[in-house]
Amino acid sequence: MAAVSREETGVELDGVTVRFGDVAALRDVSLTVEEGEFFTLVGPSGCGKTTTLRAIAGFETPATGVVRIEGREMEGVPPEDRNLGVVFQNYALFPHLSVRENVAYGLRFHDPPDEGTADERVADLLSLVDMADMADRDPEDLSGGQQQRVALARALAPGPDVLLLDEPLSALDARLRERLRVTLKEIQRDLGITTVYVTHDQAEALAVSDRVAVINDGRIEQVDTPERVYREPASRFVAAFVGDNNRFEAVVTRTNPPRASVDGTDVALSDDTVVGANEPVTLCVRPEAIRVVDGGVEPSGTATTTLSATVESREFLGDAYRVHCRWNDRSILVKTGGERPPEGDVHLTFDAEDVRVLTDE
Ligand code: ATP
């Protein structure tokens, strides 16, 4: 019997382990995707993203743990009875069928989910993905982005409970990928369909998702909103994988107010940091949190750390500069908008609030 709290649940994995021979591709993975949520699995190649999606779809059987969809346990339920829409990286449209016929194929075993006819359903979906005027074309006469929109329409045709998307944009060029992810997000929001999205591209994950699960080596490192994953990474892995980060191994020298030492240099930590005296920690400072001040100007501010560094190179990005600096044989990356940053000897300053302290192993 489904618990009351599960009524709002789109997909649930509870202690799922998937093995291939001796390899555990997923290790005790538990996560909950809320109904209507755009939920993204992100992580490096081979971390287990596709395996997670395949376990939800029913193509892999967990060695332990359970998968639930809309509160219903899926053990023994074959893929075709799970009411899922699936889109993979390689469009997989039928080349001998027209665009319209490809979308209609999604309805071959299902009645349309609403009152209308199958033809009306196909027409509605082609409008939704903005392909109505290409309904009679063959897939081979479409661009990659257009093919993916048809694949999406086909997956949505039977009105699935959940949409599973495995790197659907990765075969497209960067500009098209950015455009299509906005379209995808809009369609998902309009339909309110629970969506599990797989990508290795952390920037894409941050851009489209309501929440993100960062996976590393078959384990979940963090599940959070994009903002929290970026600003408050829960582990060293997340801090390194999501966005650029400057990381420093340090030792806590004082707990009140909290301070740490990096190679003898004092770094001010935020007052709400909870650390123990002499504890080894990793400090993370985002490139955009660091200011570059000309070496001749004395920086000020009590909650501020100052490092005397040298600028090695500057890249102009259009909306900002990336400044590569050297401090005590370490590379430090700074990202700064506005004026061209100074060269040569500089002070790098950052505030205690912008230092993320990590204590995981
Ligand atoms: P990518 O981004 O490269 O697609 P991924 O995160 O989706 O990677 P998975 O495809 O889920 O990773 O693979 C997870 C692990 O399981 C990898 O070590 C992979 O080699 C292994 N694996 C996946 N499928 C099989 C299989 N059918 N047989 C044996 N090992 C497999």
Side-chain angles (χ1 to χ4, degrees):
M1 205 177 71
V4 174
S5 61
R6 294 218 178 102
E7 283 178 8
E8 301 296 317
T9 301
V11 178
E12 200 180 348
L13 271 67
D14 193 352
V16 169
T17 296
V18 174
R19 285 185 222 286
F20 298 108
D22 292 342
V23 180
L26 291 186
R27 304 151 194 255
D28 194 21
V29 166
S30 296
L31 56 84
T32 303
V33 181
E34 303 301 332
E35 203 160 293
E37 191 172 31
F38 197 122
F39 189 94
T40 299
L41 309 170
V42 68
S45 182
C47 71
K49 306 179 293 293
T50 295
T51 304
T52 308
L53 215 61
R54 289 176 59 84
I56 296 169
F59 299 124
E60 306 295 350
T61 305
T64 62
V66 288
V67 173
R68 295 187 192 90
I69 296 175
E70 306 226 312
R72 206 157 65 92
E73 275 195 25
M74 287 292 122
E75 196 179 338
V77 179
E80 61 272 20
D81 292 341
R82 295 191 178 197
N83 205 18
L84 306 168
V86 186
V87 180
F88 293 108
Q89 173 182 348
N90 52 351
Y91 332 117
L93 297 180
F94 299 108
H96 53 286
L97 300 182
S98 69
V99 163
R100 187 196 318 276
E101 288 163 342
N102 262 282
V103 177
Y105 190 85
L107 288 170
R108 71 200 181 288
F109 300 128
H110 299 265
D111 291 330
D114 42 30
E115 299 287 285
T117 65
D119 286 349
E120 285 166 349
R121 176 73 180 163
V122 171
D124 285 350
L125 284 161
L126 287 174
S127 309
L128 182 73
V129 299
D130 203 17
M131 289 293 291
D133 53 352
M134 299 190 194
D136 295 315
R137 284 214 197 165
D138 289 335
E140 64 180 13
D141 299 331
L142 302 178
S143 71
Q146 290 165 340
Q147 290 186 44
Q148 262 324 39
R149 284 190 272 150
V150 176
L152 177 63
R154 185 178 62 184
L156 290 170
D161 294 330
V162 177
L163 189 59
L164 304 179
L165 304 168
D166 192 351
E167 303 260 10
L169 309 180
S170 64
L172 310 174
D173 70 61
R175 198 169 280 265
L176 184 56
R177 215 159 54 219
E178 282 180 22
R179 258 210 341 259
L180 208 53
R181 79 187 185 204
V182 174
T183 306
L184 187 62
K185 174 76 190 174
E186 282 171 1
I187 290 173
Q188 185 272 341
R189 194 185 298 136
D190 283 355
L191 299 178
I193 186 168
T194 307
T195 299
V196 186
Y197 186 87
V198 161
T199 180
H200 64 277
D201 180 341
Q202 48 86 24
E204 191 168 285
L206 297 183
V208 296
S209 315
D210 294 318
R211 279 188 312 149
V212 174
V214 184
I215 306 182
N216 177 30
D217 197 16
R219 287 199 178 82
I220 300 224
E221 293 266 338
Q222 184 168 6
V223 179
D224 243 321
T225 60
E227 286 83 354
R228 285 179 60 102
V229 164
Y230 186 84
R231 295 183 190 138
E232 298 170 43
S235 68
R236 288 174 167 93
F237 177 83
V238 177
F241 184 76
V242 179
D244 290 318
N245 227 329
N246 295 290
R247 286 178 301 150
F248 307 96
E249 299 310 315
V251 176
V252 174
T253 48
R254 262 212 337 245
T255 53
N256 192 15
R259 301 243 159 203
S261 165
V262 180
D263 293 347
T265 298
D266 206 33
V267 176
L269 309 179
S270 168
D271 283 342
D272 53 19
T273 310
V274 180
V275 279
N278 301 317
E279 189 176 356
V281 290
T282 302
L283 309 182
C284 300
V285 188
R286 293 284 183 193
E288 64 273 20
I290 303 179
R291 296 171 294 271
V292 187
V293 187
D294 191 286
V297 179
E298 227 18 71
S300 59
T302 50
T304 301
T305 295
T306 301
L307 311 177
S308 299
T310 313
V311 172
E312 294 199 311
S313 63
R314 300 174 293 186
E315 296 170 78
F316 181 52
L317 306 180
D319 58 347
Y321 289 87
R322 269 162 76 91
V323 192
H324 300 269
C325 305
R326 185 145 289 274
W327 171 70
N328 282 357
D329 281 337
R330 292 162 188 274
S331 296
I332 297 186
L333 181 65
V334 180
K335 195 169 175 190
T336 168
E339 293 295 299
R340 191 178 170 85
E343 288 184 287
D345 292 338
V346 293
H347 296 303
L348 303 180
T349 71
F350 48 87
D351 297 333
E353 282 64 38
D354 291 322
V355 181
R356 174 84 184 151
V357 182
L358 296 173
T359 55
D360 68 312
E361 287 307 311

